[in-house]
Amino acid sequence: EAGGEASAAMAREASLIIGMHPDEVTETIVDTALAAGTPFAVVPCCVFSRLFPFRTLPNSKTLVTTHGDFCRYLKAKDPKNIKLATLGFAGKNVVVYSLGEPRRKQDDQDEPSAEVECVPCVEEPA
């Protein structure tokens, strides 16, 4: 929203969008990356429940007021593709991420995708 089409275009061209403790823009990073089909990783810190009083957990009227609630709220934006993991450091260490949607290069848009055949490896004699 804030960056308009320029931000959307940048997100579509990015290989990855990362937000480490991005405060008020955490949800915007997730929404922008999802809209562009771009992989992302955010490590939410503060919930800012007073700034975002409309956030509720899926299928309930429970307000998002805790860090755990916020992570679940973000995951619910695309439950199939968004994952949660714990990073190996102290403090707010839950990463909310998605590998994004597979994208083809512009030149390959009209080309049929080639089938890949997996064959057993042949080990060389020692």
Side-chain angles (χ1 to χ4, degrees):
E1 278 179 18
E5 183 52 37
S7 291
M10 195 171 7
R12 285 190 298 272
E13 295 300 318
S15 297
L16 174 68
I17 301 172
I18 298 175
M20 290 291 292
H21 299 250
D23 293 333
E24 292 98 334
V25 298
T26 303
E27 185 173 7
T28 302
I29 291 171
V30 172
D31 291 342
T32 301
L34 288 173
T38 302
F40 72 87
V42 292
V43 179
C45 184
C46 300
V47 178
F48 294 101
S49 58
R50 289 187 183 142
L51 292 177
F52 301 98
F54 56 86
R55 291 178 177 156
T56 58
L57 292 175
N59 303 318
S60 77
K61 297 202 186 281
T62 303
L63 294 176
V64 173
T65 58
T66 69
H67 181 262
D69 289 346
F70 191 34
C71 292
R72 286 187 292 281
Y73 169 81
L74 293 171
K75 180 175 175 30
K77 290 177 171 285
D78 187 357
K80 179 180 171 193
N81 295 310
I82 295 178
K83 310 289 184 221
L84 302 177
T86 303
L87 301 173
F89 56 80
K92 300 291 191 219
N93 60 358
V94 174
V95 60
V96 180
Y97 70 96
S98 172
L99 300 179
E101 297 175 9
R103 292 183 286 171
R104 295 186 297 177
K105 293 180 184 175
Q106 191 69 25
D107 298 342
D108 297 337
Q109 292 282 334
D110 298 325
E111 296 286 323
S113 60
E115 292 293 320
V116 177
E117 181 181 351
C118 185
V119 294
C121 295
V122 177
E123 292 189 31
E124 298 283 327

